[in-house]
Amino acid sequence: MESPNFQNGKESLGIVILKRGFLALVCLITLLILCVSFENWRGSRSWKKYRAQAESKGAIFEMAALTPPPIPPEENFAEIPLLQGLFKYRNTGKGIKWDDTNTLQSLRAVSLSAGKANFNPSLGDWRKGVKTDIAKLKGYYVDKTPADFTANRDWKKISTNLPPQEFLSQFIQLFEAELDQITVGLKRPHARFAIHYGDERPFAILLPHLSIVKNFGQIFELRAILRLHEGKHQAASEDVRAIVGLSETLKDEHLIVDQLVRMSILNLALQVVWEGIELGSWNSQELAELDILLSHVILMPAMVESLKMERAAGTTTILQLISRPSDADQLGSDGDSSAWEAMSRLFFVLKGWGRLEAVNYSRMFDDSIFPPLTNNVYFIDPKLVDRKGNEVTSLIHGGARSIFSHTRLASLLLPAISKALSRTAETQADLNCARLSLAIEKMRQAEKKLPENLQDLIPKYFSQLPVDPVLGGSLHYVRHSEISYSIYSVGWDGVDNGGKMAKKSDSDSATKETDWVWRTGSSGEKESGETNLKP
């Protein structure tokens, strides 16, 4: 009898297993395809539905629709010969190709510090009661070499034996040609720098003009302070006008960073205004002119427009990653580039996932960012801003949960909204306090006394008092002596802390339980720690 042959049976069993395994694989792939298809359909449907609803309420998702309109070159400050060429570059996708590097390099040299991180001379700090130390400032330059800054300026010919005032005056004269062009250019009624808003990569847009505009503001600031010490107060007030004019060239640029630089430049003007008050330099006409100048600066509306542009840029970026994952390498910094790359590859496959991210990113603006600003863009409720900000934080800082809740990209794209808004409110409060101080100085000159309270300024010096941008209440006034007084806002905590000033070591007073204080007549007093201004 022949023994049984199981070889064929074994082969048949293997084939069965192989077939079943293949079938399982096909089923799995089919299931994955169905899941991906469903997710893509769900995401596409959600995005279209949300966008239609949001646009019906006035939301704008196209950056082009938020871009400031063009203006005639002859009316445009940014078209003066000195500044032409700043934006002559192309983003090739592989990097930036500049058509004109000479303009950028020459303008960067027009600076008190030429961008050197280790060389940043201080021109005083009115918040801390510190006036510009001219002798100390001269020392900065005497100890430097041309390679440290302004390498194209023959400043070493200035004798170091000159008194500080004369030395710095001659130093400023090295920039007179450029300052004259800026002064003339600021007479043009508008400013539109040729920012590449239409760039396919919104967060790769270059803003080379910001540092240059601020550098000019710093030079005007130093010249104004020198003029105050020389008794040329009218010329100094014209320099203040130039500084404010430079800040307002950024007013219509709806980008958060532009607005923050705008506020930084305004602080330069406030330093000169404060030092002029401390020195008793301004006459009644100049005080009135400076008040009118500052009264035209309103900050919050431009910040709100910048937040709208921020939403449009963010949603555009997310949607572009769906079709062009290679853009991820231009978005992330060294610390988060891998996160961008991983998310972009996911979106390339799960396009619906990316669209759900776009929905949730934009919805955060609707639900948490814009509501505190809709009732009145001139006042702000910090507690509401912080509460809404905490809601956003709880959504985007949930680790793996943020991925499956489609909020991961929001954690990478959303700026520090609360800080931007607090900085805006603080700078507006500073401007309003400065205006009150100018009116008090007019009263001091006319009546030889300080007011007992701010109501004493009405109606002779003010028809209506400036208010606190925090909650829209009244600003506070404390008279310390016959020459010294303080005006203050309740600050970001919304509480009257008695005019408590931040410590000198505090880098972000907006986050402290302190008030935003403008104090005059006490710049010579030594302060240590926090100071309570109430008697």
Side-chain angles (χ1 to χ4, degrees):
M1 178 181 292
E2 295 181 0
S3 60
N5 186 351
F6 295 102
Q7 186 66 31
N8 292 335
K10 290 182 178 179
E11 290 178 351
S12 299
L13 182 61
I15 292 173
V16 170
I17 293 174
L18 182 62
K19 286 182 177 179
R20 289 180 178 178
F22 179 74
L23 181 61
L25 180 62
V26 170
C27 291
L28 179 61
I29 293 174
T30 302
L31 180 62
L32 287 174
I33 292 174
L34 288 173
C35 289
V36 169
S37 299
F38 175 76
E39 186 72 4
N40 288 342
W41 171 83
R42 187 169 75 97
S44 179
R45 178 176 176 274
S46 297
W47 170 246
K48 289 178 181 178
K49 181 180 179 181
Y50 166 76
R51 179 164 183 167
Q53 292 175 344
E55 287 180 335
S56 69
K57 298 177 182 178
I60 298 174
F61 295 97
E62 301 295 335
M63 292 181 66
L66 294 167
T67 302
I71 56 177
E74 65 275 10
E75 298 180 10
N76 189 358
F77 165 77
E79 290 290 341
I80 65 174
L82 180 66
L83 301 177
Q84 288 179 354
L86 265 182
F87 287 88
K88 291 183 178 179
Y89 73 87
R90 289 168 285 121
N91 192 333
T92 64
K94 297 181 179 180
I96 301 298
K97 177 68 175 179
W98 288 92
D99 298 329
D100 179 5
T101 58
N102 293 331
T103 297
L104 187 61
Q105 291 175 354
S106 61
L107 284 173
R108 283 176 173 169
V110 184
S111 168
L112 297 183
S113 60
K116 298 292 183 180
N118 61 345
F119 181 64
N120 187 21
S122 173
L123 298 181
D125 188 341
W126 65 265
R127 286 189 176 91
K128 299 174 182 176
V130 178
K131 289 188 287 189
T132 301
D133 189 332
I134 295 178
K136 183 178 180 181
L137 190 57
K138 174 192 172 183
Y140 279 117
Y141 295 99
V142 170
D143 296 337
K144 301 298 173 181
T145 66
D148 288 320
F149 64 98
T150 57
N152 64 332
R153 307 286 163 170
D154 195 13
W155 71 276
K156 274 295 186 179
K157 290 184 178 180
I158 303 174
S159 173
T160 58
N161 295 324
L162 292 172
Q165 177 79 29
E166 188 174 350
F167 174 89
L168 292 173
S169 295
Q170 291 193 24
F171 177 73
I172 288 294
Q173 289 176 11
L174 299 175
F175 306 104
E176 286 293 333
E178 289 87 355
L179 296 184
D180 288 345
Q181 291 186 61
I182 293 294
T183 302
V184 173
L186 287 172
K187 295 179 181 179
R188 298 188 178 189
H190 305 289
R192 293 286 189 282
F193 288 93
I195 298 173
H196 294 199
Y197 288 104
D199 196 303
E200 293 182 346
R201 302 163 180 84
F203 287 92
I205 293 175
L206 298 184
L207 304 170
H209 64 303
L210 294 183
S211 61
I212 290 167
V213 172
K214 184 174 181 180
N215 287 342
F216 275 113
Q218 290 175 327
I219 297 173
F220 275 110
E221 178 193 12
L222 176 56
R223 188 172 74 172
I225 290 170
L226 293 173
R227 284 173 164 178
L228 287 176
H229 285 273
E230 293 169 358
K232 301 176 181 179
H233 41 86
Q234 179 60 42
S237 71
E238 291 301 319
D239 284 337
V240 174
R241 185 174 299 277
I243 299 171
V244 174
L246 284 169
S247 76
E248 295 307 271
T249 64
L250 307 177
K251 178 180 66 174
D252 295 327
E253 294 184 2
H254 301 153
L255 298 169
I256 290 178
V257 64
D258 295 66
Q259 296 309 310
L260 293 176
V261 173
R262 176 191 178 197
M263 291 177 241
S264 180
I265 296 171
L266 285 169
N267 190 59
L268 306 178
L270 291 178
Q271 181 68 30
V272 182
V273 171
W274 178 81
E275 291 206 27
I277 291 174
E278 288 291 289
L279 294 171
S281 299
W282 310 122
N283 60 35
S284 59
Q285 180 179 348
E286 291 154 0
L287 291 168
E289 290 174 348
L290 289 171
D291 172 51
I292 294 172
L293 177 66
L294 298 183
S295 70
H296 292 154
V297 181
I298 308 296
L299 299 174
M300 195 60 74
M303 180 57 73
V304 172
E305 292 303 311
S306 298
L307 290 173
K308 293 178 182 178
M309 181 69 84
E310 194 76 23
R311 172 164 69 175
T315 52
T316 298
T317 298
I318 294 172
L319 295 174
Q320 285 180 352
L321 286 177
I322 295 173
S323 58
R324 200 165 50 229
S326 58
D327 285 357
D329 62 352
Q330 297 194 32
L331 292 170
S333 61
D334 293 338
D336 59 14
S337 58
S338 59
W340 278 108
E341 186 177 356
M343 295 298 291
S344 63
R345 289 178 178 176
L346 174 65
F347 294 166
F348 188 67
V349 178
L350 296 176
K351 300 182 186 300
W353 199 301
R355 292 189 176 98
L356 288 171
E357 284 268 355
V359 170
N360 289 334
Y361 173 82
S362 183
R363 189 167 280 154
M364 288 179 187
F365 283 83
D366 296 332
D367 297 341
S368 300
I369 295 174
F370 288 135
L373 309 172
T374 53
N375 292 332
N376 192 324
V377 295
Y378 299 101
F379 311 138
I380 195 165
D381 182 345
K383 290 184 179 179
L384 181 57
V385 170
D386 287 341
R387 179 163 60 82
K388 291 292 185 179
N390 291 334
E391 292 176 2
V392 171
T393 301
S394 66
L395 290 173
I396 65 178
H397 290 165
R401 184 166 59 89
S402 68
I403 297 177
F404 292 102
S405 62
H406 305 98
T407 57
R408 175 59 179 153
L409 277 188
S411 66
L412 301 173
L413 285 171
L414 277 177
I417 302 295
S418 292
K419 287 187 177 181
L421 292 175
S422 67
R423 175 75 180 279
T424 305
E426 183 178 16
T427 305
Q428 190 67 62
D430 295 339
L431 291 166
N432 293 354
C433 288
R435 290 188 61 208
L436 286 170
S437 183
L438 291 167
I440 290 172
E441 293 305 312
K442 283 192 290 184
M443 181 177 181
R444 189 209 298 266
Q445 290 184 8
E447 304 180 27
K448 310 301 181 185
K449 66 177 183 179
L450 296 177
E452 292 296 327
N453 55 66
L454 294 178
Q455 295 299 320
D456 291 347
L457 299 174
I458 298 176
K460 187 174 182 180
Y461 303 101
F462 262 120
S463 58
Q464 185 175 357
L465 296 175
V467 299
D468 192 338
V470 175
L471 302 173
S474 299
L475 291 165
H476 298 265
Y477 167 76
V478 178
R479 192 175 77 172
H480 308 290
S481 67
E482 293 303 316
I483 63 171
S484 176
Y485 60 89
S486 296
I487 309 164
Y488 65 90
S489 158
V490 293
W492 193 247
D493 64 354
V495 177
D496 181 359
N497 296 296
K500 185 170 66 174
M501 301 169 67
K503 295 180 181 179
K504 289 192 175 185
S505 59
D506 288 343
S507 59
D508 186 7
S509 61
T511 64
K512 310 296 179 182
E513 294 180 354
T514 56
D515 299 321
W516 297 332
V517 183
W518 173 284
R519 184 169 186 174
T520 67
S522 59
S523 60
E525 297 178 8
K526 295 184 180 290
E527 296 177 343
S528 60
E530 297 172 340
T531 304
N532 193 297
L533 302 179
K534 285 191 174 180

